[in-house]
Amino acid sequence: MSHDHDHHHHHDHDHGEFSELSDIELRVRALESLLTQKGYVDAAALDALVQYHEEKIGPRNGAQVVAKAWIDPAFKEWLMSEPTAAIASVGFEGRQGEDMVVVENTDEVHNMVVCTLCSCYPWPVLGLPPVWYKSAPYRSRAVSEPRSVLSEFGTELDDSIDVRVWDSTAELRYLVLPQRPAGTDDWSEEQLAEIVTRNSMIGTEVVVAP
Amino acid sequence: MSSAPGPDATVLPSLPRDDEGPVFAEPWQAQAFAMAVHLHEQGHFTWTEWAAALSNTIEDMGPAEYYEHWLATLETITTTSGLTSADELSDQRDAWQRAAEATPHGQPIELGAEL
């Protein structure tokens, strides 16, 4: 990079007091305005979608599913056998979460989710994927050296625990059911949901009671 | 999609975000993301088709930011399905470029400003 084009508002040498759009902004605006003009896209619906994914969907949805499974054995059984229906019953369905698989962490098994092809992710329960989930190093190393990746997240597992890595696809999305931490027996579902982190549902971390 | 149990947005205005920052690094990424979701909902492609097209883009383009692959896939999938064409896109980009150049800094850029 010979010089910086991004901060033109601090040194308006070439463009005077007029505006500038980056190449990528031009491409996005061109596509969106054309599709809108042709009636394929509704601008208001687009804005609503952006807001929805930014604010309304997030890992909190998944955390509520996990907390409910910890509290309610019948729900947990249903969640393990018919995850898509069980998750939908809590109110989270649609878009990318149609075919869910729930994998349970136990004293013997730790599960971890990756998408080696691109970045398939259970959006309705976990929101948008974090930056590292989409990165090439995570996508390759989660498979080749899962324990090293886990330890970089601060997750040290006993050698006796079997680490299983699940590769998401366009059809199948995985949600990890983490282990309920000790000392939370008298906690309410709401309290439990508060401590379930996004990473624990991807399987790069475990849930700890504060 | 029904509302979640527990505190809603009025009680908890700022729901937990990605701990690495906003889920989108820049607004255009959110726009590109939403366009794909919207077109999928309108039945223009399935998520399986999208994943295959995205994978092809990654192979063709090589390493790039995630949403750059995403945007290129969106351009490919909308031109190959005939929703738009490369020429139309190119003309529209030029129009936006001229609109930006005709818009005083700090004001919203809108198509038509260039006319």
Side-chain angles (χ1 to χ4, degrees), chain A residues 98-142:
Chain A
E98 286 87 349
D99 295 296
M100 297 289 305
V101 175
V102 176
V103 286
E104 183 185 11
N105 287 350
T106 64
D107 288 338
E108 290 82 37
V109 176
H110 181 90
N111 297 285
M112 180 174 163
V113 181
V114 65
C115 176
T116 52
L117 177 69
C118 46
S119 58
C120 297
Y121 192 74
W123 284 327
V125 278
L126 294 187
L128 287 170
V131 175
W132 54 262
Y133 185 85
K134 299 178 290 192
S135 72
Y138 177 76
R139 281 155 41 201
S140 58
R141 293 182 56 231

Side-chain angles (χ1 to χ4, degrees), chain A residues 8-9 12 15-35 37-38 40-43 45-47 49-50 52-61 64 90-96 98 117-120 123-124 127-132 134 139 153 170-171 173 189-190 194 198-199 205, chain B residues 1-7 12 15-20 22-24 26-42 44 47-48 50-52 54-55 58 61 66-68 70-72 74-75 78 82-85 88-90 92-94 96-97 99-111:
Chain A
H8 53 87
H9 44 280
D12 309 319
H15 301 280
E17 70 256 39
F18 289 96
S19 303
E20 191 175 23
L21 290 169
S22 71
D23 179 56
I24 209 139
E25 285 171 321
L26 287 172
R27 287 166 60 199
V28 172
R29 283 178 185 238
L31 195 55
E32 189 182 335
S33 56
L34 259 183
L35 293 173
Q37 283 166 17
K38 288 163 171 268
Y40 295 123
V41 154
D42 171 32
L46 266 192
D47 285 348
L49 270 171
V50 170
Y52 185 81
H53 282 280
E54 280 195 302
E55 294 173 11
K56 293 188 188 164
I57 294 193
R60 292 301 90 202
N61 295 0
Q64 282 161 17
V90 187
F92 310 130
E93 61 184 314
R95 301 222 166 94
Q96 295 258 326
E98 286 87 349
L117 177 69
C118 46
S119 58
C120 297
W123 284 327
L128 287 170
V131 175
W132 54 262
K134 299 178 290 192
R139 281 155 41 201
F153 278 92
E171 290 84 21
R173 308 299 162 99
E189 194 172 318
E190 288 72 25
E194 285 292 311
R198 182 199 60 208
N199 290 1
E205 290 173 12
Chain B
M1 189 115 9
S2 64
S3 65
L12 206 64
L15 284 170
R17 298 296 184 104
D18 190 325
D19 52 20
E20 290 164 40
V23 285
F24 301 106
E26 296 176 51
W28 70 263
Q29 299 179 348
Q31 292 299 117
F33 171 80
M35 262 190 277
V37 173
H38 191 55
L39 290 170
H40 165 261
E41 287 182 334
Q42 308 290 315
H44 293 293
W47 285 121
T48 308
W50 175 263
L54 185 60
S55 168
I58 294 168
M61 271 175 69
Y66 179 78
Y67 277 105
E68 289 181 31
W70 184 281
L71 176 60
L74 206 48
E75 289 170 335
T78 52
L83 295 185
T84 182
S85 71
E88 283 179 318
L89 279 176
S90 167
Q92 192 83 345
R93 281 197 286 269
D94 291 345
W96 275 106
Q97 175 84 53
E101 287 165 3
T103 302
H105 188 81
Q107 290 185 15
I109 304 166
E110 281 167 15
L111 269 192

